[in-house]
Amino acid sequence: MLVDFLKAILLVLFVGALAWAYQSIQPPPPKTVGSPDGAAVTAPRIKLRDGRHLAYKEHGIHRDEAKFKIIYIHGFDSSMLDSPFPFFLSPALVDELRIYTVSFDRPGYGESDPDPNRSPRSIALDVEELADGLGLGPNFYVFGLSMGGEITWACLQYIPHRLAGAALVAPAINYWWRNLPGDITREAFSLMYPADQWSLRVAHYAPWLTYWWNTQKWFPISNVIAGNPIIFSRQDMEVLSKLGFVSPNRGYTRQQGEYESLHRDLNVGFSGWEFDPLDLKDPFPNKNGSVHLWHGDEDRFVPVKLQSYIASRLPWISYHEISGSGHLLPLVEGMTDKIIKSLLVGE
């Protein structure tokens, strides 16, 4: 009788532990903007074919009068409000070249609806739909920063026929792209702090644990999510100190929940991709456009050695390695103008 009772107690405890574990790894539902639990919609949005909405923000010359039209793709833990163009692209250059720019919230960020089926391909197609919804014409430029640069690879894969040119600025690297050499990849991965290594391992090998891993209190979580300044280079810290901020729009960026914005972004960025950027062909064989990759040699987010290897395998890319610079290249005085001139007019 006592043995049966103890077995029953152990069974109840085991089932209870399983139930607790299951509940702890389940992300909460998103606080979708415009819903009773979500924030109000304040930005203009376009409706996509699948019924989702993308929020966007325009700057520069009116799109109907512009000569050059650029779509900005923001990075991790960021939003359309963090575009460098309204702050770091000189008005004189905007007027001289007749430049129009638009930034948008990627799915789950800011005021863009979450996409439970988000993938590199789906985000590239969102970019195309945004361009069509705004009437930007048959061709446009893309400018991707950090994980937005990683998505720019997807634009080069899935919508190359729509691009007039592309700038990848400090683009994130998926360490599991199949054509990356093991020795260089392991060396680059080892340069990251252990907390960041584990965040990426979880996102790649156990994406169903990403929410739990980045909200638990037992182990250090991603330094990027935690906002730990140790991830910034010397120049990054100088830039941020001069500007007086690190993440001024964090509340807006994460307002639909950290799972739909940050955690799902990690899962997409470091999943097993359908393609490898190192297999890409020149999207402009007739020289009617160009692709530029910009990277600081002191970038502590994305190791320069691995970035330069990727550029060396794609000779049609114009690679610009900036001495003494970190991850926040567009925030360095004069750098956004330089990137835009090289992309639009080849200077």
Side-chain angles (χ1 to χ4, degrees), residues 136-150:
L136 300 189
N139 300 106
F140 50 86
Y141 294 85
V142 289
F143 180 118
L145 173 63
S146 193
M147 284 191 78
E150 191 182 43

Side-chain angles (χ1 to χ4, degrees), residues 54-74:
L54 281 187
Y56 65 91
K57 192 171 184 64
E58 300 171 290
H59 295 281
I61 302 299
H62 190 278
R63 60 179 181 264
D64 293 336
E65 301 171 0
K67 179 179 180 181
F68 297 106
K69 301 168 184 178
I70 307 171
I71 296 178
Y72 173 73
I73 308 174
H74 70 75

Side-chain angles (χ1 to χ4, degrees), residues 26-330:
Q26 297 303 305
K31 297 179 180 179
T32 307
V33 291
S35 71
D37 294 331
V41 176
T42 62
R45 307 198 301 175
I46 64 163
K47 189 173 183 178
L48 305 177
R49 284 189 291 265
D50 63 4
R52 290 182 295 115
H53 295 83
L54 281 187
Y56 65 91
K57 192 171 184 64
E58 300 171 290
H59 295 281
I61 302 299
H62 190 278
R63 60 179 181 264
D64 293 336
E65 301 171 0
K67 179 179 180 181
F68 297 106
K69 301 168 184 178
I70 307 171
I71 296 178
Y72 173 73
I73 308 174
H74 70 75
F76 183 75
D77 201 8
S78 186
S79 75
M80 66 180 184
L81 302 180
D82 299 308
S83 168
F85 296 141
F87 308 105
F88 299 97
L89 184 60
S90 67
L93 186 63
V94 170
D95 291 339
E96 176 190 348
L97 297 182
R98 311 295 291 170
I99 300 171
Y100 160 88
T101 67
V102 59
S103 56
F104 71 101
D105 289 331
R106 294 197 280 114
Y109 281 104
E111 294 186 15
S112 287
D113 292 337
D115 181 4
N117 301 310
R118 196 197 312 183
S119 68
R121 180 177 184 273
S122 73
I123 304 174
L125 297 181
D126 284 353
V127 170
E128 183 176 37
E129 279 202 70
L130 175 68
D132 291 340
L134 296 177
L136 300 189
N139 300 106
F140 50 86
Y141 294 85
V142 289
F143 180 118
L145 173 63
S146 193
M147 284 191 78
E150 191 182 43
I151 295 303
T152 302
W153 290 120
C155 293
L156 291 166
Q157 166 72 10
Y158 295 113
I159 58 169
H161 57 290
R162 300 300 307 273
L163 303 182
L168 301 95
V169 183
I173 294 173
N174 184 335
Y175 293 90
W176 291 272
W177 286 334
R178 61 180 177 272
N179 289 325
L180 292 176
D183 55 344
I184 299 177
T185 303
R186 283 189 295 271
E187 178 186 345
F189 196 77
S190 71
L191 295 176
M192 290 192 297
Y193 290 98
D196 299 315
Q197 293 179 18
W198 277 106
S199 289
L200 299 192
R201 288 191 185 105
V202 170
H204 181 76
Y205 293 111
W208 44 275
L209 273 180
T210 304
Y211 168 75
W212 174 82
W213 181 265
N214 288 290
T215 55
Q216 50 78 32
K217 307 299 183 184
W218 300 343
F219 309 103
I221 66 169
S222 161
N223 285 305
V224 182
I225 292 177
N228 193 332
I230 64 173
I231 55 178
F232 292 114
S233 72
R234 174 189 53 79
Q235 187 189 66
D236 289 339
M237 290 302 296
E238 290 175 356
V239 167
L240 292 173
S241 176
K242 184 183 298 185
L243 296 175
F245 64 81
V246 175
S247 300
N249 302 307
R250 176 169 288 178
Y252 172 85
T253 295
R254 302 182 180 187
Q255 67 183 353
Q256 298 189 77
E258 291 189 12
Y259 178 75
E260 286 299 337
S261 52
L262 312 185
H263 306 158
R264 197 183 288 278
D265 212 10
L266 286 174
N267 289 347
V268 171
F270 299 98
S271 64
W273 281 29
E274 297 175 346
F275 75 98
D276 188 322
L278 278 77
D279 289 329
L280 289 173
K281 305 300 181 185
D282 185 354
F284 306 111
N286 298 322
K287 308 303 179 185
N288 57 337
S290 60
V291 179
H292 297 258
L293 198 163
W294 296 77
H295 206 81
D297 68 351
E298 295 184 7
D299 192 320
R300 299 180 70 175
F301 286 74
V302 186
V304 66
K305 187 172 184 179
L306 199 52
Q307 200 75 271
S308 62
Y309 174 82
I310 292 172
S312 71
R313 286 284 304 274
L314 301 171
W316 43 270
I317 283 183
S318 296
Y319 179 57
H320 312 264
E321 189 172 301
I322 309 302
S323 178
S325 288
H327 195 66
L328 305 180
L329 276 177

